[in-house]
């Protein structure tokens, strides 16, 4: 009886996880292309160094600013680092920070929004005023202040990005929670003695999974961009570590000396990956949106 009550009236929670979800997502060619791009970049950055091994720690002043050729497929930078190997190495940092920070931001925002929306009243008002105040302060400004005070490493960037990026997911999950908490199966659980925590864990969060997944993909894209912004300004991870934004910053003077290989590859990588995650997010949003389908 209980299982029937908890499941009844929730077709939107179960249906999206059946085969039609994959079919709807697969019909979105742009989303599939985005998924392919992300997978290829993951292979490029994490498997590529095993095939194309380079030294990204020590400098070699006899090999500086070499044009692309047989020994160095994308040339070298101002300190002799192989640019193709640097692209893999920097991409590993950018993707790792983007994925981890996006997931962290989504987890924090999901919990905050679910509690605020479910509690309602003054608790909701106070929690959402905190969110409004945080949104009023640009995330890039906070990142610049923190980066200027401390010297962030990869783990530090993940934590800082996660702590400044959870605000938008919290508002999305709160809006979903306000709708779900008045559903019959949630009211039935509360009437039979179920705790608030059980209602959130058993019904609110699973019912918001489509919103959470879509928000996570956009948060990853935003995090990759934020890392690039900060690193471009010289306040990201410090040498010998680097990311794509740091590579753009290091090759800035190359724009005036025809050394295109120091600017185009990392810039193109950022554009492709960010657009790919956005396309995946759009595809997931359309796939989960069964309410607007006849």
């Amino acid at each position: 009886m209980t299982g029937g009550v908890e499941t009844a009236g929730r077709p939107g929670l179960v249906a999206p996880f059946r085969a039609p979800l994959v079919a709807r997502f697969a019909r979105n060619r742009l989303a599939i292309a985005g998924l392919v791009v992300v997978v290829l970049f993951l292979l490029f950055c994490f498997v590529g160094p095993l095939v194309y091994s380079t030294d990204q720690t020590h400098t070699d002043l006899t090999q500086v600013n070499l044009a692309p050729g047989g020994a160095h497929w994308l040339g070298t930078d101002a300190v002799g680092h192989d640019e193709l190997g640097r692209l893999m190495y920097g991409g590993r940092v950018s993707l790792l920070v983007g994925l981890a920070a996006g997931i962290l931001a989504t987890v924090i925002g999901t919990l905050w929004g679910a509690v605020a929306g479910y509690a309602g009243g003054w608790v909701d008002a106070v929690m959402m005023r905190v969110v409004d105040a945080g949104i009023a302060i640009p995330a890039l400004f906070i990142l610049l202040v923190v980066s200027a005070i401390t010297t962030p490493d990869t783990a530090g960037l993940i934590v800082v990005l996660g702590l400044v990026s959870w605000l938008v997911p919290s508002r999305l999950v709160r809006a979903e929670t306000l709708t779900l908490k008045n559903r019959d199966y949630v009211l039935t659980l509360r009437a039979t003695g179920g705790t608030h925590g059980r209602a959130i864990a058993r019904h609110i969060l699973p019912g918001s999974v489509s919103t959470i997944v879509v928000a996570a993909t956009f948060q990853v894209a935003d995090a990759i961009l934020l890392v690039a912004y900060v690193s471009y300004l010289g306040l990201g991870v410090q040498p010998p570590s680097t990311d794509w934004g740091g590579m753009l910053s290091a090759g800035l003077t190359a724009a005036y000396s025809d050394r295109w290989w120091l600017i185009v590859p990392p810039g193109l990588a950022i554009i492709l990956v960010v657009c790919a995650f956005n396309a995946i997010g759009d595809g997931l949003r359309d796939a989960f949106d069964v309410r607007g389908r006849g």
Side-chain angles (χ1 to χ4, degrees):
M1 177 71 70
T2 302
V5 171
E6 291 184 352
T7 305
R10 292 189 295 167
L13 177 61
V14 179
F17 294 99
R18 296 176 179 170
L21 170 65
V22 178
R24 288 194 296 270
F25 182 80
R27 285 198 294 268
N28 191 320
R29 296 183 180 180
L30 190 59
I32 293 297
L35 182 61
V36 170
V37 168
V38 170
V39 171
L40 289 178
F41 267 102
L42 288 173
L43 292 174
F44 174 75
C45 295
F46 290 92
V47 180
L50 302 177
V51 179
Y52 189 82
S53 180
T54 59
D55 184 358
Q56 296 297 322
T57 303
H58 302 93
T59 61
D60 185 357
L61 298 182
T62 65
Q63 301 290 315
V64 299
N65 295 327
L66 296 180
H72 302 282
W73 293 2
L74 278 182
T76 61
D77 62 12
V79 293
H81 290 144
D82 183 272
E83 189 69 4
L84 180 58
R86 200 84 175 148
L87 195 66
M88 298 175 184
Y89 186 72
R92 183 182 301 179
V93 175
S94 292
L95 291 173
L96 178 61
V97 172
L99 287 168
I103 293 173
L104 177 60
T106 304
V107 170
I108 296 174
T110 295
L111 295 177
W112 188 278
V115 171
Y118 185 82
W122 68 268
V123 175
D124 179 35
V126 171
M127 293 180 72
M128 295 316 295
R129 294 302 76 75
V130 172
V131 173
D132 292 339
I135 290 178
I137 304 174
L140 182 58
F141 174 77
I142 299 176
L143 283 173
L144 291 177
V145 172
V146 173
S147 299
I149 296 173
T150 65
T151 302
D153 55 7
T154 301
L157 273 178
I158 291 173
V159 173
V160 173
L161 281 171
L163 292 178
V164 301
S165 303
W166 60 271
L167 302 169
V168 173
S170 70
R171 298 187 73 171
L172 296 174
V173 174
R174 172 187 175 267
E176 193 74 21
T177 301
L178 290 174
T179 301
L180 293 173
K181 74 175 185 178
N182 293 318
R183 297 286 176 88
D184 291 341
Y185 49 84
V186 178
L187 297 177
T188 300
L189 176 64
R190 295 293 300 125
T192 55
T195 63
H196 297 304
R198 180 177 175 80
I200 292 175
R202 190 65 182 264
H203 297 299
I204 302 300
L205 293 181
S208 305
V209 68
S210 60
T211 299
I212 295 170
V213 171
V214 173
T217 59
F218 291 119
Q219 286 303 309
V220 171
D222 290 343
I224 292 174
L225 274 180
L226 284 173
V227 173
Y229 293 156
V230 174
S231 297
Y232 181 78
L233 296 174
L235 299 174
V237 293
Q238 301 302 305
S241 296
T242 190
D243 55 53
W244 287 333
M247 293 177 66
L248 281 176
S249 179
L252 182 61
T253 57
Y256 305 100
S257 55
D258 295 330
R259 292 195 293 273
W260 59 267
W261 59 90
L262 300 179
I263 295 291
V264 174
L268 189 60
I270 294 172
I271 293 172
L272 287 175
V273 169
V274 170
C275 290
F277 274 109
N278 284 329
I280 292 173
D282 287 336
L284 287 172
R285 181 174 56 197
D286 293 342
F288 277 114
D289 185 15
V290 296
R291 286 172 294 186
R293 303 173 188 274

